[in-house]
Amino acid sequence: MPTPTLAALHVYPVKSFAGTALDEAVVEPWGLAGDRRWMAVGRGGRQLTQRDAPSLALATARLRADGGVVLAAPGMPELAVDAPGPAGAVTRVRVFGSEVRARSAAPAADAWLSRCLGEPARLVWMGEPERDRPVDPEFGAPGDTVSFADGYPLLLTTVASLDALNSLIAQGDHADEGPLPMSRFRPNLVIRGTTPWAEDGWKRIRVGEVDFRVAKPCGRCVVTTTDQRTGERGKEPLRTLASHRRFGDLLAFGQNLIPQNPGRVRSGDELRVLG
């Protein structure tokens, strides 16, 4: 069996926008540097994601060294947006029921986003993830925090498990939808060189300079049925996950991670299972 290694590394500067592949990244306590520090919100300050607006998959955000982003989308001009910084106007937003403090982007960013989505929307930035949003205490330790990611600092998937899932999809009623690319699952770390579903048994791992606690399996939602290239939706992989990867209420693919120390990870780094 080959040594498991980090095959791919992805960051998502704006939640639910398309991801960016990296060769290396800094791991902060709340996730990869620059990952999901920006988010679109709608009426009432509620998060807007591909669950509500599949077309967000077509938008991109290029992360700048100063923490700002350059937004782009089909039919839209590029727009450079500065990070608001500590002087930015504070606003309260909601992320899956939790109220979180954020800072408002410039009005031009709101206008760009509203035009892109065809509905009123605002762009907000999380300035202090070290204190703004704790991880679910059932699965995290005191002091564990997360950015605007769904619930945990990082998401890990494996190539072998995707291959196994695609084999199951090929045997089902919606075989024409497969094989699915890894982009459907929007991971941060993609590992090659394991057996299928090996990650289910991991409790602690090390990748590069960083130790991670494996918090829980990742429950999947309708976003995984969204073609990340077109924004169109199908039935898979949820149909197949419901038949083969149901754990209680979860349709599971991938594992949520919580960093135990800061450090750097690089494509090609070895993965070691610590427990």
Side-chain angles (χ1 to χ4, degrees), residues 212-229:
F212 298 93
R213 181 155 40 86
V214 182
K216 65 183 291 290
C218 183
R220 308 317 304 219
C221 69
V222 69
V223 172
T224 60
T225 69
T226 307
D227 188 320
Q228 298 296 296
R229 300 164 301 175

Side-chain angles (χ1 to χ4, degrees), residues 209-254:
E209 302 171 353
V210 185
D211 290 357
F212 298 93
R213 181 155 40 86
V214 182
K216 65 183 291 290
C218 183
R220 308 317 304 219
C221 69
V222 69
V223 172
T224 60
T225 69
T226 307
D227 188 320
Q228 298 296 296
R229 300 164 301 175
T230 66
E232 297 177 354
R233 284 198 169 136
K235 300 295 185 181
E236 293 294 358
L238 292 185
R239 286 286 181 91
T240 297
L241 291 175
S243 299
H244 298 276
R245 294 285 298 169
R246 183 183 291 276
F247 298 94
D249 294 334
L250 294 182
L251 306 183
F253 187 87

